[in-house]
Amino acid sequence: MSQRHTLIGTGLYDIERAAQLVGADLRSVRRWLKGYSRKTKRGITTSPPLWQLQYWDDERIGSDYLLGFKDLMELRVVTRFIEQGVPLQTVRATIDIAREVIGPYPLQSKRFLSDGRRIFMDAVEGSGQRGKLLDVRGRQFVFGSVIRPSLFDDVEFDALGHSVRWFPVPKKRLIVVDPARQFGQSVLLSSNVTTTTLHDSFVAEKGDREFVAGIWQVTEEEVMAAVRFEKRMQA
């Protein structure tokens, strides 16, 4: 049944921006989130989306494949798995099992830290990938190196263990992605100025960081952090 979701405090991202933020290939993200069909010897095989997007049933935007913050955090973990060479079949199995154990959007939950290794091992067993994903020396599944600690050190959780904000450049924590601020767009932690705004101002002012900092009442360090971040997004 179609409905209208509140967009306040839940984040809003188109697929292209979501792919940029998590560092994933746009074409792959489309396949993961929209599903795809391919020809095989047995005919056409259809693969459904990895999960149902947050706004799938919204009568205004459900057909636009827009992501919420929970979707973005799930996508972030999926991207890291794929980067580590985990087959998509195993990723899908991991999500399915985790959903049964943890609930909707399991990969963005803090509980996935404690339950995730067992879930991943079950998924590997079920998808027949055990030999490929087992570290011969340490006899440890790739889950440990993917998830701990790199994926969750830069995320803050609420009392229920749900992701509430993400620091995409964790070392200095000048930039934050927070669904409660600017619809979840990347902003300076110290203000609500988006990184895209600072980058565009920097370009328009021909690289005058001091002038841009004065316009937006931020530091020059923050201006350059935003510029570097956006350049990385657009690379």
Side-chain angles (χ1 to χ4, degrees), residues 27 54 131:
R27 182 180 176 185
Q54 222 170 317

Side-chain angles (χ1 to χ4, degrees), residues 23-91:
D25 172 67
L26 177 57
R27 182 180 176 185
S28 296
V29 171
R30 286 198 177 108
R31 286 162 59 88
W32 301 341
L33 300 182
K34 294 185 177 184
Y36 60 93
S37 298
R38 60 190 177 88
K39 290 183 179 180
T40 66
K41 293 180 179 180
R42 297 181 179 180
I44 297 178
T45 300
T46 300
S47 295
L50 290 179
W51 69 88
Q52 214 166 46
L53 293 178
Q54 222 170 317
Y55 302 122
W56 71 272
D57 59 348
D58 192 293
E59 62 187 26
R60 300 161 299 172
I61 60 176
S63 61
D64 295 333
Y65 292 98
L66 295 173
L67 286 71
F69 182 74
K70 292 179 181 178
D71 296 317
L72 184 69
M73 293 293 96
E74 294 282 296
L75 181 62
R76 177 170 163 270
V77 177
V78 168
T79 300
R80 297 301 174 267
F81 273 130
I82 297 296
E83 286 176 349
Q84 293 292 320
V86 178
L88 187 59
Q89 179 184 359
T90 304
V91 173

Side-chain angles (χ1 to χ4, degrees), residues 146-176:
V146 175
I147 299 299
R148 298 176 186 271
S150 63
L151 274 185
F152 288 93
D153 280 353
D154 52 359
V155 175
E156 289 186 1
F157 301 90
D158 62 16
L160 298 176
H162 299 140
S163 303
V164 292
R165 62 178 184 171
W166 169 40
F167 294 91
V169 186
K171 287 186 178 180
K172 291 192 175 181
R173 293 203 168 196
L174 296 176
I175 297 168
V176 66

